Amino acid sequence: MADHYDVVTLGETMLRLTPPQMRRLEQATNLDIEVGGSESNTAVGLARLGLKVSWLSRLTKNGLGLLIDNALKGYGVDTSRVCWTDQDRVGLYFLEEGLAPRGSAVVYDRANSALSRMQPDDLPADLFQPGASRVLHITGITPAVSQSAAQTTLKALGLAKQAGWAVSFDLNYRARLWSPEQARVGCEPFARTADLLIAPLRDARLIYSLSGTTPPEQVLGFLQQHFPQATVVLTMGKDGAMGQAPRGELIRQPVFPAAEVGRIGGGDAFAAGLLYGFLAGNDHKEFAPGLLALALRWGAAVAALKYSTPGDMPVISHAEAARLVASESNTSSSGVSR
Amino acid sequence: MADHYDVVTLGETMLRLTPPQMRRLEQATNLDIEVGGSESNTAVGLARLGLKVSWLSRLTKNGLGLLIDNALKGYGVDTSRVCWTDQDRVGLYFLEEGLAPRGSAVVYDRANSALSRMQPDDLPADLFQPGASRVLHITGITPAVSQSAAQTTLKALGLAKQAGWAVSFDLNYRARLWSPEQARVGCEPFARTADLLIAPLRDARLIYSLSGTTPPEQVLGFLQQHFPQATVVLTMGKDGAMGQAPRGELIRQPVFPAAEVGRIGGGDAFAAGLLYGFLAGNDHKEFAPGLLALALRWGAAVAALKYSTPGDMPVISHAEAARLVASESNTSSSGVSR
Amino acid sequence: MADHYDVVTLGETMLRLTPPQMRRLEQATNLDIEVGGSESNTAVGLARLGLKVSWLSRLTKNGLGLLIDNALKGYGVDTSRVCWTDQDRVGLYFLEEGLAPRGSAVVYDRANSALSRMQPDDLPADLFQPGASRVLHITGITPAVSQSAAQTTLKALGLAKQAGWAVSFDLNYRARLWSPEQARVGCEPFARTADLLIAPLRDARLIYSLSGTTPPEQVLGFLQQHFPQATVVLTMGKDGAMGQAPRGELIRQPVFPAAEVGRIGGGDAFAAGLLYGFLAGNDHKEFAPGLLALALRWGAAVAALKYSTPGDMPVISHAEAARLVASESNTSSSGVSR
Amino acid sequence: MADHYDVVTLGETMLRLTPPQMRRLEQATNLDIEVGGSESNTAVGLARLGLKVSWLSRLTKNGLGLLIDNALKGYGVDTSRVCWTDQDRVGLYFLEEGLAPRGSAVVYDRANSALSRMQPDDLPADLFQPGASRVLHITGITPAVSQSAAQTTLKALGLAKQAGWAVSFDLNYRARLWSPEQARVGCEPFARTADLLIAPLRDARLIYSLSGTTPPEQVLGFLQQHFPQATVVLTMGKDGAMGQAPRGELIRQPVFPAAEVGRIGGGDAFAAGLLYGFLAGNDHKEFAPGLLALALRWGAAVAALKYSTPGDMPVISHAEAARLVASESNTSSSGVSR
Amino acid sequence: MADHYDVVTLGETMLRLTPPQMRRLEQATNLDIEVGGSESNTAVGLARLGLKVSWLSRLTKNGLGLLIDNALKGYGVDTSRVCWTDQDRVGLYFLEEGLAPRGSAVVYDRANSALSRMQPDDLPADLFQPGASRVLHITGITPAVSQSAAQTTLKALGLAKQAGWAVSFDLNYRARLWSPEQARVGCEPFARTADLLIAPLRDARLIYSLSGTTPPEQVLGFLQQHFPQATVVLTMGKDGAMGQAPRGELIRQPVFPAAEVGRIGGGDAFAAGLLYGFLAGNDHKEFAPGLLALALRWGAAVAALKYSTPGDMPVISHAEAARLVASESNTSSSGVSR
Amino acid sequence: MADHYDVVTLGETMLRLTPPQMRRLEQATNLDIEVGGSESNTAVGLARLGLKVSWLSRLTKNGLGLLIDNALKGYGVDTSRVCWTDQDRVGLYFLEEGLAPRGSAVVYDRANSALSRMQPDDLPADLFQPGASRVLHITGITPAVSQSAAQTTLKALGLAKQAGWAVSFDLNYRARLWSPEQARVGCEPFARTADLLIAPLRDARLIYSLSGTTPPEQVLGFLQQHFPQATVVLTMGKDGAMGQAPRGELIRQPVFPAAEVGRIGGGDAFAAGLLYGFLAGNDHKEFAPGLLALALRWGAAVAALKYSTPGDMPVISHAEAARLVASESNTSSSGVSR
């Protein structure tokens, strides 16, 4: 019989190539490698917290694809259902780290990746059994990558719903991949059926044509009105997060103060903590309103730990996050215990 | 009025990404960057020897494209006529260095590069004036990259011929880009009109369906029969090179013994030395048979120096090559003078 | 119901710390980290070849223990049954790489490691079910580490035998851990019951007090006489290997020529190839004499690939090994295909 | 006929050798190399902004000299008129980066450099034609290096004036090379004839014996009184810059906020932006007062970008600087766009 | 006749192994090496300031022990009386640097080190002559390491007292080595006889069961009451230090502002400055009250310089510290002088 | 009273700066630092073998000078009598490592170093007491550096002779510093009075105008005839060494086979072993003929160990060298013992 997962996720993972020491790409003589992808970042976070996670994707069978597979397996994610191909390529992105006024710059090089050519039939359909997982977690990036990726994500959604799994969807808008209008249409089927809808404030404003000064509470209200079935969580960067379950109260969660060592992947880490909060405190698939406050707190804790860790993935421990979640205040000291 | 070049060349230059210390790609945590492309390698060799070289290509305007441009300019190649675009991507290849029995492995990631989408109209047509250059040097790689790259190379050939420049053509077969049959057809217009035809022995056997044991002399004869207008030079790896001008004698050139620090780019370095030998000893555009022996010797010298230098490009000096060319034997010592 | 493994193994894995560029330890300013242990090296080799392997051990729950766990999981080994502890320490060894006459030097720092304090009760007894694995692979290192490690290994042997698994035992003598006499006594129960007995020639001579010039055939004969139940394989470094099944013929296998990039771990890689040869060609647990020749060839191939790969573990691919196994001669070229 | 440059400059470029990670020189096991020199830094900035710049200097023909030449060519500076020699040496400086209270420390090792022995006759006299350049840019460092360097700079000044080029002069006082009194005398001929006079506030106070608390406006007034022919620009570190054209109004320019990644070279970057502002908005050689405000803004923008870039040279892009120049406020965000 | 030292000290020195760039241990592929030990850190500080210091310890004779010995000798500490052994091991600690909320984490691996098995007889008894040293400096770490280390430290104390040397004792509580109660008992003989007693505020509160909010003045009073023979110095992190000689006045010393490059070793650097202040201004062994103010200022200066220097040891110069001690305010600039 | 040394030596030590991975200087982005100087290399070798050595020199008091001092002290050489100055500079040399046909290249940058300006009065005259050292070791490099260095070396010779020390002199010809004729004259006073004269075969031929094919025996004879007071040792690279004491027999010593990791410093290591052989086996100052054979064997052993060690200095151990000296043959294995 099949394995039982807490979370199944689907998405693209790329290699991030970064010149060391804030050098520009054109000055680089070598590049540091990190493995990163929104869904696999979340998967690593969940695995580190102790849950069982399966990551679905499509990878080219070469050294670069193996590197991604090794890294995710190493951090405890089940990759045994990844679809391997000899075709296509592994997506890359080059990150030029910079501070103001230069700023960081990204050169994406992800076109024609293996995931962008993933077909609905590449999904391990037999996995989508009732009880085989509690949650399917997807983001708005995957349907934006290509038409076939969108169809594949849609099929995964359908299979998960059919199997009775809960669905978590993170809007995660990528302006380099599609326009806000395309995103609104493309995300519609996911947002409309998600049990948990995670929306970065800026993305929500952009996608739903809300003014850049619309108050967060109003954005949250807008989302609840349109997607009444979902527990909606709005992430607001340094202003923390807020969420509301259907017919529940609005709950606010400030950030835990954190040094910024690795900026990228904070939202994915938040999603991992959030899902963990719901799943670790609940044996059933429903997102009971009573767990939202706890889930938001786990989300904030894992995100803060991620910010102080290099790389894209939240390579954190359950003990660290639990300590933060249990802390009385949202502040912490940084002494070395010896 | 226009600049005067000794050699104009056209082709794709990629970034080579290599894990240090013979690690496998899947084990890599960082990658060393080298700049490499057959034609620009040759261009760098020619520039280092003191000639004036213009490299034509198409590059994406981002940090990776600038890195290539900076490197070639830094080594003295004129890149002012490169066609820049905001579209497409910079070609990459990942080299996993290994010794027997593992061997080195290359993951090419060059599809959809800026050069592969170069159009005939992207050529700086005004450059192709009589007297603006002495030689156009092209290789069999560029027409193999894509149809539009092939058309662009053909147009460059036509313009160069029209302007009265000599044409140097290196077969340089790439099995990952086309089949031997395609290569034979695709190279035909270049081989048929080239003043200098450089043919790696293995490539020539493959493209022209000659048995793998056909003696080099016979391969050379075959090429001369089909391309009687050309001075033909056959390169044979550790067995050196041999060449013959139309109606000239067969001339043999053994290799100079060399430590193997950087294997890639040896053939391109040979081409640089060869062209230099012809051009430095001759004020006219014709490849006078009397210079072939000298040119072969320069080719062997530059190739040997390349083998003992890391990277793809022959970052060598005229003095070093001249010393080798002038040496009595083909052997050399490696003592440190102090 | 339980997982099904091809091979279960048990042993200690250490961190190897090496100063780069052949520097001496006392000159080092940084140390490269490799993960290495005879049994986990073999496990990685088997996993890379496609088999399902479980590695049993005891690890301290800190960053160093996690590093080992991540690495083995990343290369596909199942570590879910490792016994974790907050006590003790992770074994280390410092390797000072050197060439003659200086030579390499090892500073072992493995005393009081978590594995050295593993108790028989730390074994996942429920794993040892009939059919849950085909082979238990152990080496002479583990019983040498400590008394409790010896008892643990003995218990694993007993449980495996009881469950009907085949047993593979590699003498692997470590002079720093015990004397030849102690090794003879300590290895006796394993050698006496092993289905496959792997013996490095030098170790066998030392342990069984045979002269250093005893011919390999005679050493093999000695082992067969004493351990008639076992298929005996003698490894002889550059002289290859030879083996003989009970009542079978003596079969010889020369080495595949290999560049020496990483010397350590060759024997473990050989064991991986050997076991693979037996298991991949056979659905039953017995080591049918007919497979010995194939197994030896796989052993030699994987060992050769390991020698040309850095680190302790055979991070090789099935395709590479299969190509070597299928090659007509034992020689190979090292050209870059492009 | 000759090339046409926007700016010709003359000066010494050194290699900067820095221990990584804030280590002290005495603790260093390796040194990072940067290329730096006030005038070539400015030249690189101008070339990156799109102008045509020729850098005059004298370099020793060895690997170190070539490294400098490669780097400057790579960033687009014309070095074809550099005077090469087999004598003397390449100037070095060792930078020990440190924060308070330790502070950074510099060990200069520039005595007897090739530039310090440059003679007036080493100048490419034929370059100094009317129309061959719009500006000659020099600094107070070059005349301080040695007597022959001073004579060479003076000759360049004379030739430029004769050819009708505008002259830009940056006081750039170096206490390690000469005393304030010597600097006053040595800079006199340049300050007296410069069309553009750039003066760091602290340097101006020191050289002209003004009290350390003399208000900037008063320092500017002093300079205008003594050098009435010049547009004077005073740079004041974190307090920005101010300038006044003859008979023009005093114009103030605050700094753009910038993270401090590479402190060295900020003044040279400012000079590049300043010159660009004058030249890009003006086809004639005169520094029309109406362009001063724009020029100051470009200067501040390029300096701010330099501060957030490692190394001595402003390896920035026109687009980045233009965006900053066009920004409404002097603040900027540092988000990663994706 | 014997050498004359200013200070003799005794303690354990370990290798600190740190993953670069804030990576986690489990992500590390290499480790940076630092040499660190409280007493040898202080010894290096004293030697850099110009005093003659002998460091007593026990080291295993392998590359790791030599590395420690080389480093200390290199920085000017006399190690000629170290007791060498072929047994035991060199103590290690792994530092995972992190910022809040992750924080830094230390994995100690110092059990069974050579020092932990040092015996009283391993001390160079003949060294403890009247006049052979002015001070013996010990800390509360050494008696905490093991019983034999405690006995050895006690014997050193007795010998020093007998020889008429002054004794300096730093409480330096290590929670990983013993409990507060054990520390109180274990430190008693040292605190009761020390001429100089250095007490970190937090340690003093813990060891003597004072509340975490006991005001520093009260803690100081407590210590003076119990150890009336000692000049007591209380260190309070960012709040500076305060001290009082028997029958002297309470003297306060704020910190010098310092960037935090290397946090570890600040207290040891403070002790070095403090001892230097007493010894450099005094030819006699007594700690005259009149020198306490100066000593505290030297302590603060050396600690501040240490904070802005990487590694554990205060690799600073006398000139730097003297400049800070002599500065009017406690603030400093960080400009590069050139 | 003064310290007692086995050997006092005098000379210049430089920093060697080398681009890693065989890159060319012009391609370098960083440089590895090594400390090297013929006399200090020999001093380190002697200290490692257990003798007490004092190195005399003149060093500039900056981070570079301290680096050299730290390194030599760290390896056990007494540097307490080095003359420090705030003037001049630390000598540098840039090594571009290369294999044939490119070869290694050195860029010397040692002019105007602190040592080159050392004056006879900078010598610690009080050191040169009878019995304060057994040997003064000098080389032909120091008198070649400058006139004042030559005078200083001559004074040291005179003082040593006066104090009754033995004198060891290594011709060590440096073609970059003086001509063969100058060397002959400059070395005369040293060669004429040396008790031990070490002469590289090639240097001896050059300096004394002997043909490049003069047989070694004849060169040795020539030297003995001219310098009859000396035990003469001729070093012949891969052909080993030979020596003869006055009225003694010619003794030959082949090389010990050695991998070539660090080529530079082999001769200095040989000198260290040679001197050790004489001094360790002899309590008196005379070089008794009976020890020459042993001394040559020690010389060959230390040289061989140096060749397999990176850097310029023979960082070897007494045990390693003794093992080689005691080995039956001149061959050795390179296995890892574990």
Side-chain angles (χ1 to χ4, degrees), chain E residues 204-239:
Chain E
R205 283 176 179 150
L206 271 171
I207 294 178
Y208 298 106
S209 303
L210 304 174
S211 138
T213 57
T214 316
E217 292 78 4
Q218 208 168 316
V219 175
L220 183 64
F222 175 92
L223 294 171
Q224 285 189 299
Q225 194 176 350
H226 283 70
F227 311 114
Q229 88 292 346
T231 293
V232 178
V233 170
L234 206 64
T235 61
M236 305 174 293
K238 297 188 173 171
D239 296 326

Side-chain angles (χ1 to χ4, degrees), chain E residues 169-210:
Chain E
F169 180 66
D170 185 338
L171 279 182
N172 235 334
Y173 176 63
R174 287 289 185 271
R176 307 260 190 123
L177 296 177
W178 54 4
S179 69
E181 295 71 36
Q182 292 173 315
R184 188 170 42 75
V185 174
C187 289
E188 186 66 17
F190 304 100
R192 207 181 338 121
T193 56
D195 296 274
L196 174 63
L197 174 63
I198 306 171
L201 175 58
R202 205 173 61 168
D203 295 0
R205 283 176 179 150
L206 271 171
I207 294 178
Y208 298 106
S209 303
L210 304 174

Side-chain angles (χ1 to χ4, degrees), chain D:
Chain D
M1 220 219 70
D3 295 315
H4 287 271
Y5 297 104
D6 294 297
V7 178
V8 169
T9 185
L10 161 68
E12 178 167 24
T13 298
M14 296 177 283
L15 296 183
R16 185 232 284 186
L17 303 178
T18 310
Q21 296 178 291
M22 299 227 173
R23 290 176 81 86
R24 292 192 166 245
L25 274 171
E26 62 175 296
Q27 299 177 300
T29 56
N30 62 319
L31 298 166
D32 290 333
I33 305 177
E34 298 285 347
V35 169
S38 179
E39 300 82 5
S40 60
N41 293 347
T42 299
V44 165
L46 288 163
R48 300 286 297 193
L49 291 169
L51 298 192
K52 210 168 164 195
V53 193
S54 175
W55 173 70
L56 307 180
S57 193
R58 189 162 173 270
L59 277 176
T60 302
K61 190 107 193 172
N62 61 25
L64 306 181
L66 289 172
L67 195 159
I68 289 173
D69 187 51
N70 291 2
L72 296 182
K73 281 191 298 189
Y75 290 125
V77 174
D78 187 317
T79 66
S80 62
R81 285 183 174 81
V82 164
C83 168
W84 290 91
T85 175
D86 287 331
Q87 306 300 313
D88 311 320
R89 57 189 292 272
V90 170
L92 307 173
Y93 78 99
F94 296 83
L95 174 66
E96 191 176 281
E97 293 180 310
L99 296 175
R102 177 158 75 97
S104 290
V106 168
V107 174
Y108 275 107
D109 187 12
R110 61 193 297 179
N112 303 307
S113 68
L115 184 276
S116 77
R117 294 183 177 158
M118 190 172 183
Q119 303 292 336
D121 283 358
D122 292 333
L123 285 173
D126 62 321
L127 169 67
F128 291 81
Q129 305 294 333
S133 180
R134 298 162 76 191
V135 175
L136 172 72
H137 175 71
I138 44 192
T139 79
I141 302 171
T142 319
V145 164
S146 70
Q147 203 171 353
S148 81
Q151 290 165 346
T152 305
T153 318
L154 271 174
K155 181 170 173 195
L157 175 70
L159 290 169
K161 279 284 164 192
Q162 207 170 320
W165 303 359
V167 168
S168 157
F169 180 66
D170 186 338
L171 280 182
N172 234 336
Y173 175 64
R174 287 287 184 273
R176 307 262 190 122
L177 295 177
W178 54 4
S179 69
E181 296 71 37
Q182 291 174 315
R184 188 171 41 75
V185 174
C187 290
E188 186 66 16
F190 304 100
R192 207 180 340 121
T193 56
D195 297 273
L196 174 64
L197 173 64
I198 306 172
L201 175 58
R202 205 173 60 167
D203 295 0
R205 284 177 179 150
L206 271 171
I207 294 178
Y208 298 107
S209 304
L210 304 174
S211 138
T213 57
T214 317
E217 292 78 4
Q218 208 169 316
V219 174
L220 184 64
F222 175 93
L223 293 172
Q224 286 190 299
Q225 194 176 350
H226 283 70
F227 311 114
Q229 87 292 346
T231 293
V232 178
V233 170
L234 205 65
T235 61
M236 306 174 293
K238 297 189 173 170
D239 296 325
M242 61 172 66
Q244 200 161 4
R247 288 169 309 276
E249 291 186 356
L250 188 151
I251 300 177
R252 295 173 193 276
Q253 173 64 44
V255 295
F256 290 91
E260 203 175 80
V261 170
R263 190 159 28 185
I264 294 180
D268 309 325
F270 178 86
L274 189 74
L275 283 168
Y276 178 79
F278 279 117
L279 295 174
N282 185 15
D283 294 347
H284 312 286
K285 72 175 184 200
E286 298 88 14
F287 292 99
L291 290 175
L292 177 58
L294 183 66
L296 285 168
R297 195 160 174 85
W298 275 96
V302 177
L305 287 165
K306 166 65 203 73
Y307 277 118
S308 57
T309 302
D312 292 25
M313 296 180 288
V315 182
I316 55 100
S317 77
H318 186 278
E320 288 169 337
R323 203 178 310 128
L324 215 52
V325 164
S327 66
E328 285 192 25
S329 74
N330 264 16
T331 64
S332 72
S333 76
S334 64
V336 181
S337 128
R338 49 182 187 174

Side-chain angles (χ1 to χ4, degrees), chain E residues 298-315:
Chain E
W298 275 95
V302 176
L305 287 165
K306 167 64 203 72
Y307 277 118
S308 57
T309 302
D312 292 23
M313 296 180 290
V315 182

Side-chain angles (χ1 to χ4, degrees), chain F residues 162-312:
Chain F
Q162 206 171 321
W165 304 358
V167 168
S168 157
F169 181 66
D170 185 336
L171 279 182
N172 233 337
Y173 176 64
R174 287 289 183 272
R176 306 261 190 122
L177 295 177
W178 55 2
S179 69
E181 296 71 36
Q182 292 173 313
R184 188 171 41 73
V185 174
C187 290
E188 185 67 18
F190 304 100
R192 205 177 345 117
T193 57
D195 298 272
L196 173 63
L197 175 63
I198 306 171
L201 174 58
R202 204 174 60 167
D203 296 358
R205 284 176 178 148
L206 270 170
I207 293 177
Y208 299 106
S209 304
L210 305 173
S211 137
T213 57
T214 318
E217 292 78 4
Q218 207 168 318
V219 174
L220 184 63
F222 174 91
L223 292 172
Q224 287 190 300
Q225 194 175 351
H226 284 69
F227 311 115
Q229 89 292 346
T231 294
V232 178
V233 170
L234 206 65
T235 62
M236 306 173 293
K238 297 188 173 171
D239 295 327
M242 61 172 64
Q244 199 160 7
R247 287 168 310 277
E249 290 187 356
L250 187 151
I251 301 176
R252 295 174 193 276
Q253 173 65 43
V255 296
F256 290 91
E260 204 174 81
V261 170
R263 189 159 27 185
I264 294 180
D268 309 324
F270 178 86
L274 190 73
L275 282 167
Y276 179 80
F278 280 117
L279 295 174
N282 183 16
D283 294 344
H284 312 285
K285 70 173 186 199
E286 298 88 15
F287 293 99
L291 291 175
L292 177 58
L294 182 67
L296 285 168
R297 194 159 174 85
W298 274 95
V302 177
L305 286 166
K306 167 64 203 74
Y307 276 119
S308 57
T309 301
D312 291 25

Side-chain angles (χ1 to χ4, degrees), chain B residues 96-109:
Chain B
E96 191 176 279
E97 291 181 311
L99 298 174
R102 178 158 73 97
S104 290
V106 169
V107 174
Y108 275 107
D109 187 13

